[in-house]
Amino acid sequence: MSSVALFVITLTIGIFFILIGQFKVTSKFFPDIHEDMRHEFGRINKVFPFYKITGWRPYAKNYRMTIGIIEIICGIILVVGPGRLKQLANSVLLMLMLGAVYTHYALHDKLDRMAPGIIFGLLLFTRLIICAQEKRSRNEQSTKFTNEEKDNQQEFTDEKKND
């Protein structure tokens, strides 16, 4: 059952981030949303998280494009990539969502502006938990199978000695 849940949540999140990243990168499909993203990143750039540490902040366009490209790449990896790479993409997207929540908090935005970052951050975290549980379950089954195999081999060896 967790495999189905993991598949569905991974596919949903991956497609979502491909779409959201595309809004940031190009105006080709949704020009109004792209224009809103351009305006939003003009605001977001003012509270760049690493500005206090580095004294540097990127141009709003470069910031928006970088975030959008990262979202698209990670979304594609979630949809079609292999297991370990999916975990890395999930972790990168989770960090982006934490950054988005921080940014909206720093801008004193209302909860409705923070909600997408919170919700998708929770979904990404949930995906990591489901994946970890599935991995642990596979390890337990593997260990159980190995122990049964050893018991069977021991029985076979004992029978041989008795013959």
Side-chain angles (χ1 to χ4, degrees):
M1 182 63 179
S2 67
S3 292
V4 173
L6 184 61
F7 174 77
V8 169
I9 196 169
T10 301
L11 189 64
T12 303
I13 292 170
I15 291 170
F16 171 79
F17 278 104
I18 292 169
L19 186 63
I20 294 301
Q22 182 272 147
F23 291 157
K24 292 176 178 105
V25 172
T26 182
S27 63
K28 186 175 182 176
F29 303 110
F30 299 94
D32 293 342
I33 297 173
H34 177 74
E35 190 59 36
D36 289 343
M37 290 287 180
R38 287 185 58 207
H39 174 69
E40 188 66 17
F41 269 84
R43 285 183 54 225
I44 289 171
N45 192 43
K46 291 177 176 73
V47 292
F48 180 65
F50 302 111
Y51 178 72
K52 290 179 182 176
I53 298 168
T54 64
W56 172 85
R57 67 173 54 106
Y59 292 112
K61 179 182 179 182
N62 295 342
Y63 193 19
R64 175 179 45 84
M65 294 293 286
T66 301
I67 298 296
I69 289 168
I70 290 170
E71 288 174 344
I72 292 169
I73 290 169
C74 289
I76 290 169
I77 290 170
L78 285 174
V79 172
V80 298
R84 283 191 176 246
L85 208 49
K86 284 184 184 190
Q87 298 306 84
L88 178 61
N90 191 115
S91 298
V92 168
L93 289 170
L94 183 56
M95 292 298 119
L96 286 181
M97 291 302 96
L98 292 174
V101 171
Y102 162 79
T103 299
H104 288 293
Y105 176 78
L107 288 169
H108 306 291
D109 285 341
K110 293 181 180 177
L111 185 60
D112 65 329
R113 301 292 277 184
M114 285 187 242
I118 293 169
I119 291 167
F120 279 92
L122 289 172
L123 284 172
L124 288 161
F125 188 67
T126 301
R127 187 195 170 280
L128 285 176
I129 291 170
I130 293 170
C131 196
Q133 287 177 335
E134 189 173 278
K135 184 177 179 181
R136 184 176 50 176
S137 176
R138 273 188 268 129
N139 287 342
E140 287 173 359
Q141 287 175 353
S142 174
T143 303
K144 182 180 176 183
F145 180 74
T146 304
N147 289 339
E148 287 175 3
E149 197 175 75
K150 286 179 183 178
D151 291 343
N152 290 340
Q153 189 176 26
Q154 185 64 38
E155 287 175 15
F156 180 74
T157 305
D158 291 345
E159 287 176 11
K160 281 260 194 196
K161 285 180 183 178
N162 290 339
D163 287 344

